[in-house]
Amino acid sequence: MENSNKDHLLPSPAPLAGAEAVSAQEQPAAEEVTPPVVLSSHLEQLTERARTYVDAASSANTRRAYASDWKHFSAWCRRQGLALLPPSPQVVGLYITACASGTVERGVKPNSVSTIERRLSSLSWNYAQRGLSLDRRDRHIATVLAGIRNTHAAPPRQKEAILPEDIIAMLETLDRGTLRGLRDRAMLLLGFAGGLRRSEIVGLDLGRDQTEDGKGWIEILDKGMLVTLRGKTGWREVEVGRGSADTTCPIAAIETWVKFARLAKGPLFRRVTGQGKSVGADRLNDQEVARLVKRTAMAAGVRGDLSEAERQQKFAGHSLRAGLASSAEVDERYVQKQLGHASAEMTRRYQRRRDRFRINLTKAAGL
């Protein structure tokens, strides 16, 4: 008979006894079970603090995504009669194959390559939290993933850049006579002028060390505003200058919002409650930024040459960052610093209006 390497991808299914069944060989004997350790109050406090640090190691969005992916994998394993524990590269290889082929659940589209890669990261993280290790370099995972990339990888779909004339039109769709309108105006202008991510916008506090979940704070100066941010690679400072007119100045917009919202400390951008007449204490969710950009871009008729369905897909929170990168007529290194990019190449991906053929190597070579 002809041997096939594909046969080695098939695991030896282990029946599930529960959501996270463990094989019988790994179950400790009754006499080996040790009584639970009773911690002192001091150690209990340290344990609780350790849990807080574990949570701080990743963003809330990342933890939600990891939990969702683990639930997705767990449900698939249950349906297939496969065990979650211990980690099996063969099982994971079959799982990502099902994700790529759209057979995880009936009626669900195949996952994109980026989604599959995120699911793999989620599984590795979840196993690590259980003191286990998933070997992603194992051929049952690495070879299958390489094949998925070669077969299904597609160019990234970039969000449309919000240009200066666009954001001015978007601002006109907001009601300046309401608290919600003042807040949204400040968010749009700060997100654009600062080149901030949506999580960075809503993570800001009015001052330093004012909330436990804050991701940064603002400091208003004579010539502009200094924004201190905690990002993926550490702390960074973003300088936001004053605009040429109050109607488009991000600093003036923030000062107006803070004044009429009567904010003294805590989150900068909060929910407006009581039929738009009062401001709550809760910080906005970062999804609110994406919804704001999409809603105002649609209302202002940005990219009106496209169908409504196409326009719905074009705009998101990232459109503000791309807009600054595409519009600022300054040396590229200043844009790179503002966006917090580690490389100029990453910054160029955001520059939608960059002259791609400014340097013509064809002519330079003599042709």
Side-chain angles (χ1 to χ4, degrees):
M1 292 181 63
E2 182 181 353
N3 291 326
S4 173
N5 289 333
K6 294 180 181 179
D7 294 337
H8 297 293
L9 288 175
L10 297 176
S12 299
L16 282 177
E20 297 181 0
V22 181
S23 59
Q25 290 84 352
E26 293 187 336
Q27 294 286 2
E31 61 271 19
E32 296 175 347
V33 175
T34 57
V37 177
V38 178
L39 300 179
S40 66
S41 59
H42 173 65
L43 291 179
E44 285 181 349
Q45 292 175 359
L46 289 179
T47 301
E48 190 61 34
R49 174 60 65 179
R51 291 194 184 99
T52 303
Y53 288 146
V54 169
D55 287 342
S58 56
S59 69
N61 286 341
T62 298
R63 293 194 299 274
R64 280 194 294 268
Y66 282 178
S68 176
D69 289 337
W70 182 255
K71 183 179 179 181
H72 188 264
F73 177 57
S74 302
W76 180 82
C77 284
R78 282 196 298 272
R79 289 193 295 271
Q80 307 306 316
L82 300 174
L84 279 170
L85 305 176
S88 168
Q90 292 173 304
V91 170
V92 173
L94 291 177
Y95 168 67
I96 62 175
T97 300
C99 290
S101 59
T103 60
V104 173
E105 297 178 83
R106 184 177 299 176
V108 177
K109 294 180 180 180
N111 289 156
S112 65
V113 174
S114 60
T115 298
I116 292 171
E117 290 174 335
R118 191 205 67 216
R119 292 197 192 281
L120 267 178
S121 296
S122 298
L123 297 186
S124 297
W125 185 88
N126 276 283
Y127 278 125
Q129 303 314 300
R130 291 161 173 78
L132 303 169
S133 176
L134 174 65
D135 185 6
R136 291 182 56 172
R137 294 174 296 179
D138 185 283
R139 63 189 180 88
H140 295 98
I141 297 177
T143 307
V144 171
L145 183 59
I148 291 172
R149 286 185 180 130
N150 290 339
T151 304
H152 300 292
R157 297 182 182 229
Q158 296 181 320
K159 294 299 181 181
E160 188 82 4
I162 295 294
L163 304 178
E165 57 270 25
D166 298 328
I167 201 161
I168 291 173
M170 290 161 63
L171 292 173
E172 290 302 315
T173 69
L174 301 173
D175 187 350
R176 300 187 191 181
T178 66
L179 286 171
R180 186 173 286 108
L182 293 177
R183 181 201 65 191
D184 291 349
R185 187 180 189 84
M187 289 171 62
L188 285 177
L189 285 169
L190 177 60
F192 180 87
L196 305 183
R197 299 176 178 87
R198 64 189 193 190
S199 60
E200 293 172 338
I201 296 172
V202 300
L204 289 173
D205 289 340
L206 279 89
R208 181 172 184 165
D209 298 331
Q210 291 185 346
T211 65
E212 290 188 1
D213 63 338
K215 303 297 183 183
W217 65 89
I218 63 171
E219 183 180 358
I220 297 179
L221 308 172
D222 290 340
K223 294 184 179 181
M225 182 172 67
L226 185 64
V227 181
T228 304
L229 297 166
R230 182 172 64 202
K232 297 179 180 179
T233 57
W235 290 95
R236 67 187 181 96
E237 292 182 341
V238 175
E239 298 167 358
V240 181
R242 292 186 179 272
S244 55
D246 284 348
T247 54
T248 58
C249 176
I251 317 303
I254 288 176
E255 289 176 326
T256 302
W257 157 245
V258 170
K259 174 183 176 181
F260 285 96
R262 298 180 181 179
L263 303 180
K265 63 179 296 186
L268 176 59
F269 295 116
R270 315 179 185 192
R271 299 197 176 280
V272 175
T273 61
Q275 297 181 335
K277 296 181 179 180
S278 59
V279 177
D282 295 336
R283 187 187 306 278
L284 281 182
N285 185 287
D286 64 350
Q287 289 289 340
E288 295 291 340
V289 178
R291 285 191 279 266
L292 171 62
V293 172
K294 189 185 296 286
R295 183 178 70 253
T296 53
M298 296 291 289
V302 181
R303 289 303 308 269
D305 56 308
L306 301 176
S307 68
E308 184 171 348
E310 289 176 313
R311 293 171 66 212
Q312 286 281 359
Q313 299 297 321
K314 283 286 185 180
F315 301 104
H318 241 56
S319 297
L320 298 175
R321 280 167 66 78
L324 176 73
S326 301
S327 306
E329 301 292 338
V330 296
D331 191 297
E332 191 175 76
R333 58 183 173 172
Y334 295 113
V335 179
Q336 179 183 341
K337 179 179 181 294
Q338 188 83 346
L339 299 184
H341 288 156
S343 68
E345 180 60 33
M346 177 59 73
T347 301
R348 294 188 190 109
R349 296 181 189 179
Y350 283 72
Q351 295 172 321
R352 309 291 194 261
R353 297 197 300 190
R354 180 173 61 90
D355 184 0
R356 296 180 179 274
F357 300 101
R358 181 172 57 86
I359 299 176
N360 189 328
L361 292 182
T362 305
K363 290 183 178 179
L367 297 181

